[in-house]
Amino acid sequence: MRNRIFLVVLLCILQVALRAESYPEVIFDNSLVKGSYARSKVNYTGHSWVENVQGNLLVSDSLFFTPGNALSLKYQSADQGDWDVLIRYSRQKFHYRVNHDDVLNLKLFIATPLTDIQDLPSISIQQGKSQSVSVPLAEYVEDFNHSTWVNVKIPLRVFAGLDVDRIISGIRFRQLISSSKLHHLYLDQIEFLPARYSEAPLTSSAVLQEATGHGHHVELKWQVPLTPSIRYVKVYRSQDNKEFKAVAIRPTYMLSGLDRVPALDKKYYYKIAWVDYNYRESPFSEVIEVEASSYTEEKLLDLVQSASINHFVENYDVNSGMYMPFRMKDKAPVSVQETGGALLSLLIGVEKGNISRPLFLNRTQRVVDFLENAQNNDGFFPAFFDGRKGLPLYLDDQPKYDVVATSSLIESLLIIRQYLSEDTEQENQLRAKITLLWDRLNWRNLTLEKDSLLIRGTIDMVDEVFSDEPLVGLNAGLSAYMLAVASPSSGIPPEAFRHAIEFRLPEKAAVVEIDEEEVSEESKANASDSTFTSSDFDASSVWTRDEIPGITDSLTLDSARLDTIMYGIQLPFGPPNTSLLDMFSPFRTISPENAVIGDLDLQDVLLKYTQVVKRRDNEIGVGTTHSDIWGFYQRKDSVGSYRINPAISIASAFLDEQQAYRSLNTLYEEFGEGLFSEYGFRSWLDLRTDDVADEYLGVNQSSIAILLENARNGLIWNLYQAIPEIRSARDRIFKPRDK
């Protein structure tokens, strides 16, 4: 048995569904990056003015109420002018709704001594394009004073026009009284709280259990009792065991966290305190000493994998056991497709010693029991369910059964069936139930009437008819073809796998990026991050294509073949016009080694597209001089947004280990302070603004965990190929590689 390297990550016994570092009722607690706050929007006219960087408020790293920063609001309210500042909710919290008896709370620091209370702005609550009336901050400031943090508490009932049935999109500050003076405020901990909460005093000392160094990060584990007045865990760090600095706060649902230290090969000292709703602290815990030492490549890989796996340990619906990509107040949305990646990530966690086998079995049992009775058509499921009610969710307003989503989950369950080898009642039962889910899939009923080698991607849920759009191309749909060929009850010919690669759908209109503020908040709330994970938006390319008539019932397909030279590399299917993660998707389970079909060596094809994307992104190179930073997933025009998805380059390790590891190391070293956390790499990094996402995507975290593990030891590939039905299908689909 190989040595367990170093990280037994984050809550082997924790059974709570999570999403982010802060509670959903918190509008602002900390900016993830220094400089300016990208989720703010500054407007001013006339002689008025608000200090900003590229339209965003500045961030204060030296003065804050809760560590480690606050917002700086410096403004001039002229008689002939106006200004306003919107502080938005992050995307992951667009679902949040308030209650009538809630109170809007914030902490305010008046830095300019000549600022009187009447000089303070007004405040309103934004809901999409609508907003409540503005109310003066001055009327709700407690104990107005300068150069100290003061409380502002505003009952929501005073915000006329507020609709509690609609979700909150932000808070807007607005010029109120004109003045010739320049005013400077600091804002922190903007949040909605209930009118009444527990105020039981925190008399017991906090408990810090463990501190372990992992390169630039120290992992802290603590205990939190079931005391209703505890709201946060506050982390303190010292370099001399005398002067301690507050470096982080964490919600009580997190029983551990990562702290990035300023230097390696040094000793650090940690202690924690519990914090109540009024931000009063408990007595400190005992101090723990830890040394942050240099790390090896293997240790960094373990850290990244383990943190990615932890995203799934903590983020699931307790009723169904399935992955919850985001949270809503009245529903528990779960993703069928991403649950497949979540389960494989958890399996890897068991093998690496990060999570316990009983936890893994329990989660899988819940998923299988849920699916056994879930609504389906010929064994195929919709893309999303409400895990709480067991009913389908139509996040795109199109009630359909999703073949790719179902395939992702079923192939993962088959791998788990292969992995579970113990002769116990629970494992025997799980294997039997997975086989029943596998056998009831009717693949032949998905084939097109005019081309029995192609299968459709969806089944209409309402009219019980099939869509005309088939699964074609080198993308996630190939996983469905592998299962369809392997099916013991309704298999299709092995030629279908190659046949699907040879076609592509007619090119659709380019995706247009629009301002968040222009999108209805209800649409944002209903849109899972997972629905956008194929958005490796490349520059639009125009392809010359010959139509192939009569291939489908009502849809004409284009030939996928378009020999093209780009950046010195010959590509068989023209310029890349989809996400590399989508191209990688079927090869999370299907080993590309010996994946030769006709004249196509799929491993070589994937490597070529990966090289082209890297060369393209390096040439554009906006915002970085590092050739190891690549993987654009969103690109606008020459002055627009350039966002890197870290998962793209890291997941390519199964094709080029050294290139991927160099990228991982550079991302961690150069941007890890904001980009990497307890849940792995965040979903994007904006190279122009040095901004990072505050959300995580299930497809990113699972791609990193799975493809890194495959690159290191082939775990998931080996398990999948060992499944008898899959082994038979592979032998019939692929030909031996020429020696």
Side-chain angles (χ1 to χ4, degrees):
M1 179 181 296
R2 66 182 180 86
N3 293 331
R4 305 298 185 192
I5 304 283
F6 72 106
L7 184 60
V8 179
V9 106
L10 305 176
L11 319 179
C12 293
I13 60 174
L14 185 61
Q15 301 264 340
V16 183
L18 310 178
R19 176 61 180 170
E21 288 97 339
S22 59
Y23 295 104
E25 63 269 20
V26 177
I27 301 167
F28 174 84
D29 51 10
N30 283 297
S31 172
L32 295 174
V33 297
K34 300 176 181 179
S36 62
Y37 188 56
R39 290 161 190 81
S40 61
K41 187 174 183 180
V42 171
N43 296 291
Y44 63 86
T45 60
H47 295 178
S48 294
W49 174 79
V50 177
E51 184 181 37
N52 71 92
V53 174
Q54 295 183 343
N56 304 137
L57 287 180
L58 275 66
V59 171
S60 167
D61 297 316
S62 57
L63 179 63
F64 47 77
F65 180 76
T66 53
N69 51 55
L71 295 177
S72 171
L73 175 57
K74 185 182 292 186
Y75 60 93
Q76 185 170 332
S77 298
D79 183 46
Q80 297 180 342
D82 195 12
W83 66 262
D84 69 86
V85 173
L86 175 65
I87 301 176
R88 296 169 172 164
Y89 262 114
S90 62
R91 182 177 302 174
Q92 66 200 39
K93 301 172 186 173
F94 277 136
H95 64 278
Y96 186 70
R97 294 174 173 84
V98 295
N99 294 317
H100 282 292
D101 58 351
D102 285 348
V103 177
L104 176 59
N105 289 253
L106 62 93
K107 304 299 179 182
L108 182 66
F109 189 100
I110 300 96
T112 40
L114 296 181
T115 298
D116 296 324
I117 192 169
Q118 65 266 21
D119 294 320
L120 299 180
S122 64
I123 187 172
S124 62
I125 300 175
Q126 192 80 21
Q127 295 179 296
K129 294 183 179 180
S130 303
Q131 61 178 297
S132 70
V133 299
S134 295
V135 300
L137 276 181
E139 296 182 10
Y140 302 95
V141 174
E142 299 180 352
D143 301 322
F144 178 82
N145 207 337
H146 293 86
S147 299
T148 187
W149 288 99
V150 297
N151 295 320
V152 180
K153 296 184 178 181
I154 311 175
L156 293 196
R157 63 177 180 273
V158 306
F159 289 101
L162 181 66
D163 185 352
V164 296
D165 293 325
R166 299 182 66 190
I167 60 181
I168 302 297
S169 54
I171 298 297
R172 190 179 294 274
F173 294 92
R174 187 180 296 279
Q175 175 176 320
L176 183 60
I177 303 297
S178 60
S179 168
S180 60
K181 295 176 287 187
L182 182 66
H183 307 287
H184 193 185
L185 312 177
Y186 292 93
L187 307 168
D188 205 353
Q189 213 58 38
I190 307 172
E191 58 191 339
F192 295 105
L193 291 177
R196 294 181 178 85
Y197 44 76
S198 174
E199 298 190 64
L202 304 178
T203 57
S204 299
S205 298
V207 179
L208 178 60
Q209 290 179 301
E210 185 180 333
T212 309
H214 309 301
H216 288 292
H217 284 91
V218 171
E219 182 194 15
L220 304 170
K221 294 184 179 180
W222 51 74
Q223 288 184 353
V224 180
L226 298 178
T227 303
S229 55
I230 300 178
R231 176 164 171 79
Y232 284 109
V233 175
K234 194 170 185 177
V235 179
Y236 289 83
R237 182 181 69 214
S238 171
Q239 296 188 38
D240 59 7
N241 202 17
K242 295 177 182 179
E243 295 184 12
F244 281 83
K245 176 184 177 182
V247 294
I249 55 171
R250 291 291 186 266
T252 55
Y253 53 58
M254 294 178 65
L255 299 184
S256 64
L258 292 181
D259 176 48
R260 187 176 174 94
V261 296
L264 293 174
D265 300 317
K266 294 187 64 174
K267 289 184 178 180
Y268 295 92
Y269 303 86
Y270 286 90
K271 63 182 180 181
I272 65 169
W274 298 323
V275 181
D276 68 12
Y277 282 80
N278 293 313
Y279 294 92
R280 296 172 301 203
E281 299 182 18
S282 73
F284 289 118
S285 68
E286 296 292 329
V287 175
I288 295 183
E289 175 186 319
V290 62
E291 183 171 358
S293 58
S294 301
Y295 57 91
T296 64
E297 180 181 274
E298 288 296 305
K299 287 186 176 182
L300 179 58
L301 292 174
D302 279 345
L303 173 64
V304 170
Q305 277 188 278
S306 299
S308 300
I309 292 167
N310 185 59
H311 176 70
F312 302 109
V313 172
E314 300 186 355
N315 194 0
Y316 75 104
D317 167 52
V318 68
N319 303 288
S320 64
M322 297 180 67
Y323 172 71
M324 188 185 299
F326 61 101
R327 299 172 67 86
M328 298 177 71
K329 188 173 183 179
D330 55 345
K331 298 181 180 68
V334 296
S335 167
V336 171
Q337 182 168 353
E338 291 177 337
T339 296
L343 291 176
L344 291 185
S345 299
L346 294 176
L347 186 156
I348 293 168
V350 174
E351 281 296 290
K352 296 179 72 66
N354 301 142
I355 65 174
S356 68
R357 190 180 181 95
L359 184 150
F360 172 66
L361 290 174
N362 178 269
R363 184 77 62 83
T364 305
Q365 185 76 59
R366 294 188 194 191
V367 171
V368 170
D369 289 345
F370 177 82
L371 296 176
E372 190 176 28
N373 300 304
Q375 182 173 318
N376 67 91
N377 188 321
D378 278 339
F380 296 95
F381 303 108
F384 296 92
F385 281 102
D386 180 349
R388 199 174 299 160
K389 299 177 182 178
L391 298 175
L393 284 180
Y394 317 133
L395 297 182
D396 57 358
D397 297 322
Q398 297 184 23
K400 297 179 183 295
Y401 298 93
D402 193 300
V403 175
V404 171
T406 302
S407 300
S408 173
L409 184 48
I410 294 298
E411 69 177 358
S412 296
L413 290 175
L414 288 175
I415 290 170
I416 292 172
R417 186 188 70 175
Q418 185 67 27
Y419 178 71
L420 299 179
S421 57
E422 295 183 6
D423 186 17
T424 64
E425 181 179 356
Q426 184 180 21
E427 293 197 16
N428 288 334
Q429 185 183 68
L430 273 175
R431 287 193 294 267
K433 288 189 174 185
I434 290 171
T435 299
L436 289 175
L437 292 173
W438 163 231
D439 286 343
R440 76 182 184 186
L441 293 171
N442 189 343
W443 296 99
R444 291 176 191 158
N445 206 24
L446 290 179
T447 58
L448 302 185
E449 181 179 345
K450 295 183 180 179
D451 191 333
S452 61
L453 294 181
L454 293 179
I455 58 177
R456 294 171 169 86
T458 60
I459 309 172
D460 191 278
M461 191 177 292
V462 176
D463 299 328
E464 296 187 355
V465 297
F466 294 97
S467 71
D468 289 326
E469 192 167 284
L471 296 176
V472 290
L474 186 60
N475 51 44
L478 291 182
S479 293
Y481 280 95
M482 178 60 72
L483 292 179
V485 174
S487 172
S489 58
S490 59
I492 65 175
E495 294 80 13
F497 193 95
R498 176 182 178 179
H499 195 62
I501 297 175
E502 296 292 342
F503 299 105
R504 58 184 172 85
L505 297 172
E507 190 172 353
K508 297 181 179 180
V511 177
V512 178
E513 180 78 6
I514 54 179
D515 194 296
E516 288 177 342
E517 195 174 6
E518 300 302 318
V519 183
S520 79
E521 75 279 6
E522 296 295 339
S523 297
K524 294 172 184 174
N526 289 334
S528 161
D529 289 338
S530 62
T531 62
F532 305 117
T533 55
S534 293
S535 302
D536 184 15
F537 298 141
D538 298 312
S540 299
S541 56
V542 180
W543 295 1
T544 303
R545 55 173 88 100
D546 298 319
E547 294 189 347
I548 306 175
I551 291 296
T552 70
D553 301 336
S554 61
L555 180 71
T556 298
L557 294 178
D558 295 328
S559 172
R561 294 297 187 122
L562 183 62
D563 287 337
T564 304
I565 300 291
M566 295 186 69
Y567 306 98
I569 298 175
Q570 186 169 5
L571 302 174
F573 302 121
N577 74 328
T578 187
S579 168
L580 279 179
L581 286 186
D582 198 30
M583 296 180 73
F584 293 167
S585 179
F587 301 97
R588 304 200 308 181
T589 53
I590 302 170
S591 172
E593 186 180 6
N594 296 322
V596 178
I597 184 167
D599 62 336
L600 295 173
D601 181 335
L602 296 184
Q603 185 175 43
D604 181 63
V605 171
L606 291 171
L607 181 58
K608 287 179 176 178
Y609 275 94
T610 301
Q611 292 170 334
V612 163
V613 169
K614 181 181 185 301
R615 292 180 184 185
R616 178 203 65 191
D617 293 353
N618 286 162
E619 275 198 21
I620 297 170
V622 177
T624 181
T625 57
H626 290 286
S627 64
D628 294 327
I629 302 294
W630 58 279
F632 285 132
Y633 92 97
Q634 183 188 52
R635 200 167 73 239
K636 293 184 185 178
D637 57 27
S638 60
V639 294
S641 171
Y642 283 74
R643 291 179 175 178
I644 289 291
N645 178 354
I648 292 175
S649 59
I650 297 171
S652 70
F654 77 104
L655 296 167
D656 188 331
E657 288 186 47
Q658 293 309 309
Q659 176 177 281
Y661 295 165
R662 286 196 303 270
S663 181
L664 188 159
N665 187 72
T666 304
L667 287 165
Y668 181 76
E669 285 286 338
E670 299 295 328
F671 305 101
E673 183 174 1
L675 189 61
F676 187 79
S677 81
E678 298 88 353
Y679 307 123
F681 285 102
R682 303 177 191 276
S683 63
W684 52 259
L685 163 71
D686 194 315
L687 297 173
R688 278 189 177 273
T689 64
D690 199 28
D691 188 23
V692 298
D694 58 357
E695 68 259 12
Y696 308 83
L697 299 184
V699 68
N700 287 359
Q701 312 313 94
S702 61
S703 293
I704 289 174
I706 295 168
L707 289 174
L708 278 183
E709 190 70 6
N710 279 334
R712 300 176 79 181
N713 58 42
L715 174 65
I716 300 302
W717 288 338
N718 294 336
L719 286 170
Y720 196 52
Q721 291 178 157
I723 299 169
E725 302 98 306
I726 299 300
R727 184 169 61 248
S728 172
R730 277 190 61 96
D731 291 344
R732 288 179 287 139
I733 292 172
F734 301 130
K735 68 178 185 179
R737 187 186 300 273
D738 293 333
K739 300 287 185 174

